[in-house]
Every structure is written in structure tokens, then in C-alpha cells.
Amino acid sequence: MKKHNFNAGPSILPRIAIENTAKAVLELNGIGMSILEISHRSKDFQAIIDETVALFKELLKIPDNYHVLFLGGGASLQFCMVPYNLLQKKAAYLETGVWAQKAIKEAKLFGAVDIVASSGDKNFNYIPKNFTIPENADYFHITTNNTIFGTEIRYDMDSPVNMVADMSSDILTRPIDISKYALIYGGAQKNLGPAGVTFVILREDILGKVDRPIPTMLNYKTHIKEGSLFNTPPCLPIYTCMETLRWIKSLGGIEKIKEMNIEKANLLYNTIDNSKMFVGTVEKESRSIMNICFVLKEQYKDKEDAFMDFAKSKGMVGIKGHRSVGGFRASTYNALPIESVQALIDCMHEFEKINA
Ligand SMILES: *Cc1c(COP(=O)(O)O)cnc(C)c1O
């Protein structure tokens, strides 16, 4: 049966990126060796990382004064690397969910943390508004897409201090004004490639302002200087990222991807809003285009397992909500075809016909 992959991460990737990765695993570009077997210092791998960086810069319109790094350690290591390199006295954080909280926890190891606002009072179902970013903070940190709760900051905020963003689950989903950010990071496994590689986009002038010694591997300067090749990088995941970026370019770039994403999300949100049985969990103006969270209305709560089983029987994968929200979550990342969204909608309608 055809599977409709709504996994939150690792998640669906473009079929062509997977097929070309499979080919490169067998043999890279007719060189008689697998991508798995070549030196990261070979010209063949250098060409791969160069193209990956170049496509990333081109698609995201990253200005020349920014560096792009591909590192290991996941977004979670960035929770620590960011304050290690940037927090001298105090940092400001917007608390919009579990990932933001994890970032805050690490920052507290290095200095004072000013939580400018939190949506924790309503289980993170909205993005706080009308907060003030302290002008004496070393930086201001946001999580643009809250993968677990399904909220998203879909615009580029103004900040009086250097702004740092975790864009793990919404990088490459809309054009961004990179110049508003000092540093952007994310794990690849939501919209870019397989698990194991992390991207970092940063301006070098923000570095060198903290007193503490920084271990070599955790110092951004090391990786800038060595072009992400200080040590062995995740070569295979980087290869797949390159293929995903080629796919985005072939579709017409990020503007086009954004249109496709909005169309998919609108279809599903409209279904939820007009449903007898289902209801969204997020305030409308804070809704994510990537992770769409919904639950059964109070009078139908006992049907949760029944819907999960029904959806599974129709090929839906990964729609169980995160334990901190419950209900259902459909992740509609770039590579998810609109047919899968339609299949989920059909499934919801059919279930309603039987049960409502
Ligand atoms: C998945 C996710 C993370 C964690 O990424 P790892 O690569 O597993 O460390 C962090 N932030 C956000 C917003 C995420 O969606």
C-alpha cells in the first residue's frame, strides 16, 4: 500500500534525492567507488560540499558576509554552541515550546537568561506578541517553527540586538531576510536531508566577544576557517542535502516551495476548521505551515485510537501527536506531495461519515 509520510523528523525527503543518494552509495559519478569510501579531503567530496554550500546560499539568498557550515551534533549541540560562543553576560530568549526550553537550559550554563515572553501558560499554542527585547542582551534567540506544538513565526522579526534562530523545521520553506539574523541553525532531518548533519549560517563579526576559552570543536571560528572540514564531516548526509537543494532549485526555488506549502496547509486547516469531529489546537494567527496539530472535539475524545487505526489502514504514517499535545500532528514538509494531504483529508471525511 502507498504510504503517506507525515513523520515529524526524520521525515519525508524528495524521492529523487533518495534515489540519487542510493546511486551514489553504489558508485559516485563513475569514479569506481562509493560516496561512503572516499576521503572528505578528495576533490570529489570537495565538489559535493562546495555545491551544497553554493546552492544553499543561492536558494536562501544568503549575503556574502555570511558563512555556511555543515556540522555534526544536531540542532541540540547548537543549543550549547550558541551561548558558548556568544553569551558573555546575558542573553534573551523567546520561550515558545520544548525546543526553546532546551535551548534556554543550555544558555543558563553560560550566563543570565532573560525570557522575554512565554506561551507556556497555554501549552505553547500561540506565539507571544508585544514583548520587549532588552537592548543590553548579547543576543536574542527564537525558534521560528515549533515542531511539537505547531506554531510558527512566519516573518523576520526586528531585533535591537543580534538575532539567533533555530530554523530546524522551517528552513527552506519561505524566503527569509537573512540580514535580520546574526546566526541561524538547524538539524537537517526535517526539510533538508537525513539526520546527522546540522547547518549553521552566521556572520563572523559576532564572534570573538566572549572571555571564556572555547574548545576547538565547539568554536565556530574553527569550522569557518576549515570550511566545515576541520574533522570528518557527515559526508553522506551532506550529499543528500545537495540532492534536496538541487530538487528545490529544479522546482523553481523557495518562492515556489512556499506557494506549494501554503496550498497544502490551507487544504488541511480548512478541513479541520469545517470539521464536525476535529479541531485545531493552535491560535489561528500562530499556525505553522509545517506541523499541523489537531485533536478530536471533547464529545469524540474516546475515538482517538479508532481514528489512529483507521488512518493507519489507509496508509497514513506519523500522524500521532507529540505526547505533550496529544491528538494528531500532520507534518507537511516540502517533500510531502499534495496527494498525501488530500488522502489524509479523505480519511478524516470518511471517518466522520461513520462516526459523527
Ligand atoms: C527537531 C528539532 C530540534 C532537535 O534537533 P536535533 O538535530 O535532533 O538535535 C531542535 N529544534 C527544533 C525546532 C526541532 O524541530
Side-chain angles (χ1 to χ4, degrees):
M1 191 200 337
K2 175 162 173 51
K3 298 285 187 190
H4 299 285
N5 184 353
F6 293 94
N7 278 328
S11 40
I12 190 164
L13 288 170
R15 190 67 207 169
I16 183 86
I18 295 171
E19 283 171 4
N20 288 343
T21 301
K23 283 183 197 153
V25 166
L26 294 175
E27 184 180 358
L28 180 69
N29 305 330
I31 67 167
M33 284 175 291
S34 166
I35 170 83
L36 302 175
E37 302 174 304
I38 61 167
S39 166
H40 59 294
R41 310 224 175 263
S42 64
K43 69 171 188 349
D44 291 307
F45 186 73
Q46 191 64 53
I48 291 165
I49 193 163
D50 287 349
E51 182 177 340
T52 311
V53 170
L55 281 171
F56 203 62
K57 283 185 168 168
E58 178 188 334
L59 291 168
L60 285 167
K61 299 196 165 68
I62 300 176
D64 287 342
N65 59 329
Y66 284 76
H67 295 276
V68 171
L69 309 174
F70 288 101
L71 311 174
S76 298
L77 185 61
Q78 295 305 309
F79 296 162
C80 141
M81 265 175 88
V82 164
Y84 221 137
N85 284 264
L86 305 180
L87 205 175
Q88 177 66 17
K89 281 209 179 82
K90 179 174 91 169
Y93 278 70
L94 187 62
E95 190 185 47
T96 51
V98 168
W99 296 116
Q101 287 176 321
K102 290 190 175 180
I104 290 165
K105 179 172 178 239
E106 298 307 296
K108 282 180 174 167
L109 298 173
F110 299 94
V113 173
D114 184 341
I115 296 173
V116 300
S118 171
S119 45
D121 58 335
K122 291 188 180 165
N123 200 28
F124 301 111
N125 77 346
Y126 68 103
I127 300 290
K129 281 189 285 236
N130 305 323
F131 48 82
T132 310
I133 305 163
E135 293 192 20
N136 63 350
D138 297 321
Y139 62 87
F140 172 52
H141 180 285
I142 58 174
T143 314
T144 50
N145 186 65
N146 297 281
T147 324
I148 291 174
F149 298 95
T151 64
E152 187 174 10
I153 302 169
R154 290 186 54 75
Y155 66 100
D156 303 307
M157 228 181 261
D158 287 308
S159 165
V161 297
N162 284 331
M163 186 157 65
V164 175
D166 174 358
M167 293 198 187
S168 293
S169 49
D170 66 348
I171 192 75
L172 298 162
T173 66
R174 65 174 179 92
I176 32 182
D177 181 353
I178 301 280
S179 70
K180 293 228 172 139
Y181 302 84
L183 190 153
I184 299 170
Y185 66 86
Q189 68 274 22
K190 315 285 165 58
N191 245 331
L192 177 59
V197 63
T198 311
F199 66 86
V200 181
I201 305 166
L202 82 166
R203 270 197 347 251
E204 193 163 7
D205 63 84
I206 62 175
L207 303 176
K209 306 207 163 131
V210 294
D211 293 336
R212 72 181 67 87
I214 303 173
T216 312
M217 267 297 279
L218 299 182
N219 193 331
Y220 289 118
K221 284 187 174 177
T222 306
H223 302 290
I224 290 173
K225 184 160 166 282
E226 302 295 334
S228 303
L229 296 173
F230 169 72
N231 70 325
T232 320
C235 298
L236 184 68
I238 290 172
Y239 181 86
T240 310
C241 292
M242 178 187 76
E243 289 289 352
T244 303
L245 294 167
R246 283 179 175 174
W247 172 79
I248 294 175
K249 188 172 171 176
S250 75
L251 286 179
I254 299 205
E255 276 293 349
K256 182 69 195 163
I257 284 276
K258 177 186 160 188
E259 273 172 37
M260 291 162 67
N261 286 333
I262 289 178
E263 193 186 351
K264 286 185 286 180
N266 282 346
L267 264 182
L268 189 49
Y269 279 127
N270 285 338
T271 303
I272 293 166
D273 290 341
N274 292 311
S275 164
K276 282 198 229 67
M277 294 184 79
F278 298 98
V279 60
T281 58
V282 170
E283 283 190 3
K284 285 193 180 168
E285 65 274 25
S286 299
R287 282 173 162 180
S288 166
I289 298 301
M290 287 293 114
N291 310 96
I292 298 175
C293 296
F294 55 101
V295 293
L296 282 160
K297 290 181 182 171
E298 213 43 58
Q299 69 267 38
Y300 298 113
K301 276 275 189 260
D302 59 327
K303 303 266 187 243
E304 196 162 308
D305 290 343
F307 181 67
M308 277 306 301
D309 290 345
F310 185 72
K312 208 169 157 189
S313 77
K314 302 280 180 188
M316 305 302 138
V317 175
I319 62 161
K320 194 171 172 54
H322 189 275
R323 61 187 179 278
S324 43
V325 183
F328 314 101
R329 169 178 54 175
S331 298
T332 54
Y333 295 124
N334 289 349
L336 183 84
I338 196 161
E339 292 73 30
S340 288
V341 175
Q342 197 53 57
L344 175 58
I345 290 170
D346 293 346
C347 178
M348 290 163 75
H349 283 155
E350 239 185 284
F351 188 75
E352 282 184 339
K353 247 190 226 149
I354 306 165
N355 290 284

